[in-house]
Amino acid sequence: MATRSRIAIEQADGTVKSIYCHWDGYPKGNGQTLVEHYGDRAKVESLIALGDISVLGERVEPTDPKLHGFNRPEEGTTVAYHRDREEKFQRPRVDASLQAFVNSDVEEFGYLFTAAGEWMLIDGHRKHRELKNLEEILSLRLS
C-alpha cells in the first residue's frame, strides 16, 4: 500500500513549491532518503522540476537513460510520471507562504527544504500541524 507524501522547497520570495510522491512517504522511507541524498538546494530544485513522482530515489537522473523506465527503473533513480511514463506534466504546486503549505494537503507526510537548507517534516495525520526538524525526528526514531 502506498504512503503518499508531498516534497517541497521554500523559495526566496516566501512561496513554497511542492510535488506529489506516491510511494514510501513515511519518515524512515522518503524522509531518510531526502536527508541522506538531497542536502543540496540545486538537487532539490532538480527533483521539484520533475513534477509529480511515483518513487523517490537517491538521484534525480538515471546514470543510463536507456536502462531506466517507469516499469523497469534503474536502481536508485527517482521515477517521475511525466519523464518516465510520458504522462501530462503536472507543474509543481505553489503555496503562497510557508504557513499555507503547512495547512495544505501534504498527503500523509509533507517534507520541506527550507531557505536555510534544513529538511522539515509535517505529519499530515495530525489536526494541529507544525514543522518539525526531520533529522531530529529520524534520530529519535532510530534510538
Side-chain angles (χ1 to χ4, degrees):
M1 191 161 111
T3 303
R4 301 165 299 117
S5 63
R6 188 153 280 278
I7 302 169
I9 188 167
E10 183 180 19
Q11 303 295 294
D13 65 0
T15 61
V16 175
K17 279 186 175 180
S18 66
I19 59 172
Y20 168 81
C21 181
H22 191 71
W23 293 103
D24 297 333
Y26 49 90
K28 190 65 179 121
N30 286 351
Q32 191 77 41
T33 300
L34 291 167
V35 166
E36 291 179 0
H37 300 283
Y38 290 85
D40 176 77
R41 185 168 190 83
K43 191 169 181 184
V44 178
E45 288 173 347
S46 294
L47 175 65
I48 300 296
L50 283 176
D52 292 348
I53 61 175
S54 177
V55 177
L56 175 66
E58 297 168 4
R59 61 185 171 275
V60 176
E61 298 296 328
T63 57
D64 186 347
K66 294 176 189 168
L67 300 177
H68 176 75
F70 191 86
N71 293 320
R72 292 179 59 194
E74 181 184 34
E75 187 175 335
T77 302
T78 296
V79 180
Y81 290 113
H82 174 68
R83 180 189 67 197
D84 303 322
R85 196 159 70 179
E86 299 179 1
E87 289 186 7
K88 181 180 176 191
F89 181 68
Q90 297 296 317
R91 293 182 189 275
R93 186 180 84 194
V94 179
D95 289 290
S97 68
L98 188 59
Q99 196 58 50
F101 176 72
V102 170
N103 293 331
S104 73
D105 180 8
V106 294
E107 308 300 339
E108 294 174 71
F109 294 98
Y111 298 97
L112 172 74
F113 191 76
T114 67
E118 294 181 296
W119 278 108
M120 305 297 282
L121 170 70
I122 304 162
D123 186 338
H125 300 101
R126 299 193 183 269
K127 288 182 183 179
H128 173 71
R129 298 224 182 136
E130 59 184 309
L131 287 171
K132 295 186 176 182
N133 184 284
L134 179 57
E135 289 186 63
E136 289 176 15
I137 298 292
L138 291 171
S139 68
L140 289 173
R141 291 185 181 195
L142 294 175
S143 54

